[in-house]
Amino acid sequence: MLSLADRLQSFLTLERQTGVMLDANSVAALAVAAVVFYRGFALLDEHWVRLTENVNESPIKDIDEDIELTDSEWALIRPLFLLYLERETAYLLEASRGAGVDVYGRSVAEISGDIANVESEMAHRAFFYPIVSV
């Protein structure tokens, strides 16, 4: 498992060396928002481990960049994170129209529609129930 911070570092340095208009803190905040949304439908693997190790401890911890995610969790969270990132970039670009900047890419409204679709499908994608045999 890799931490969210490690995944974001890889994203910013290897995948998107250019083209990210937001600072690293803003990117991290969007990633945390995507993880928090995902957690509304499924316990993270890190929480399952904690739940099975110590029954008296709360399985939920605050989500921050130190949270560890499995590859399968990140595979479900990443598309939502990318859409959040694209929408924030679109906000910046659309706000720059007043300064005479020519806007490129999709509009905030278009991206928001895609976000609504991904968010509405998250319950189906994230559903998991452990098999218990007696």
Side-chain angles (χ1 to χ4, degrees):
M1 287 196 298
L2 292 174
S3 72
L4 183 58
D6 291 339
R7 292 181 186 281
L8 292 176
Q9 181 66 26
S10 173
F11 175 78
L12 291 171
T13 58
L14 300 175
E15 292 180 47
R16 300 276 173 96
Q17 295 175 358
T18 59
V20 176
M21 298 175 63
L22 303 172
D23 62 290
N25 290 335
S26 298
V27 172
L30 294 170
V32 167
V35 172
V36 168
F37 186 84
Y38 172 83
R39 187 183 70 179
F41 300 101
L43 279 177
L44 298 168
D45 196 51
E46 179 178 306
H47 296 150
W48 278 110
V49 169
R50 213 183 283 160
L51 185 63
T52 57
E53 287 177 353
N54 186 354
V55 188
N56 297 325
E57 183 181 339
S58 171
I60 305 298
K61 83 169 203 175
D62 292 331
I63 301 295
D64 58 17
E65 292 180 57
D66 296 329
I67 191 80
E68 291 189 355
L69 301 171
T70 63
D71 290 340
S72 60
E73 290 167 342
W74 183 240
L76 293 174
I77 295 167
R78 188 175 186 275
L80 185 59
F81 159 67
L82 291 174
L83 286 169
Y84 285 169
L85 184 64
E86 185 181 5
R87 182 176 60 185
E88 287 302 311
T89 302
Y91 277 130
L92 288 176
L93 290 172
E94 289 181 10
S96 66
R97 280 187 182 154
V101 175
D102 190 23
V103 178
Y104 64 94
R106 299 191 308 158
S107 70
V108 172
E110 292 171 317
I111 300 163
S112 294
D114 285 351
I115 288 173
N117 288 338
V118 170
E119 286 179 344
S120 68
E121 294 173 1
M122 188 62 76
H124 300 289
R125 293 180 180 186
F127 178 77
F128 169 78
Y129 195 80
I131 298 172
V132 178
S133 60
V134 180

